[in-house]
Amino acid sequence: MECIFCQIVKKNIPAEIFYEDDKIIAFSDIRPIALIHILIIPKTHIKSVTDISEDDTLLMGKLIFTAKIIAERNDIAKKGYKLLFRVGKEGGQEVQHIHLHLLGGKAPK
Ligand code: 5GP
Ligand code: ZN
C-alpha cells in the first residue's frame, strides 16, 4: 500500500490542512500529544532524515521556516514550542515519510 502521508499529499486521505504550497504541506496530527500538534512534510517522498541528501537542504530549511510561520499564525511563537524529528526505529519513527512535528500550546511530552 502507498505511503499514508503521500496519500494525504494527494488528498486521497482527509486531513486538517494548516499550510500548503508546491513543495510542502502541513496538517494536524491524528493523535495529538499537545494542544497544537501539526506535522510539516515535504510533498516529495523522503523516508527519513537518514535519507536526505545535500540537494534536500533547502527543502529541509523550508520545513523549519514553515513551522515558524504556522507557530506565528497560531499565536504560540512568543510562548514557545517544540520541533521534533523522530529518526528510525530507536528514534520512534512510525511513518516512513519524513515529517517535522510542531508541538505547542501545552507542555508537550
Ligand atoms: P512519528 O512517530 O513517525 O514521528 O510520527 C508519526 C505521526 O503521524 C504520529 O504522531 C501519528 O499520530 C501521525 N499519523 C499517523 N497516521 C496518520 C494519519 O493518517 N493522519 C494524520 N493526520 N496523522 C497520522
Ligand atoms: Zn510518502
Side-chain angles (χ1 to χ4, degrees):
M1 207 180 78
E2 207 197 344
C3 163
I4 199 132
F5 285 180
C6 282
Q7 300 220 50
I8 288 175
V9 169
K10 290 178 185 165
K11 311 274 168 71
N12 290 336
I13 292 177
E16 189 190 357
I17 294 167
F18 281 80
Y19 177 88
E20 183 169 14
D21 63 24
D22 58 331
K23 295 198 163 46
I24 287 171
I25 190 164
F27 52 89
S28 284
D29 195 293
I30 207 167
R31 290 186 299 272
I33 59 164
L35 212 59
I36 293 171
H37 188 171
I38 296 166
L39 302 172
I40 303 151
I41 71 167
K43 288 188 167 177
T44 178
H45 183 86
I46 300 169
K47 216 175 135 195
S48 168
V49 168
T50 313
D51 297 283
I52 57 176
S53 70
E54 202 169 349
D55 289 344
D56 299 318
T57 53
L58 182 60
L59 183 59
M60 293 301 109
K62 280 185 176 164
L63 286 187
I64 298 170
F65 185 73
T66 303
K68 174 204 137 134
I69 300 293
I70 293 172
E72 285 170 357
R73 286 183 187 168
N74 286 273
D75 222 23
I76 56 169
K78 282 194 182 138
K79 285 181 274 189
Y81 50 90
K82 184 184 276 189
L83 297 177
L84 170 71
F85 283 107
R86 294 200 177 100
V87 185
K89 201 176 170 191
E90 293 196 3
Q93 184 179 356
E94 285 174 10
V95 176
Q96 304 307 311
H97 181 133
I98 196 168
H99 49 282
L100 178 58
H101 294 259
L102 167 59
L103 299 156
K106 204 179 177 185
K109 285 168 197 163

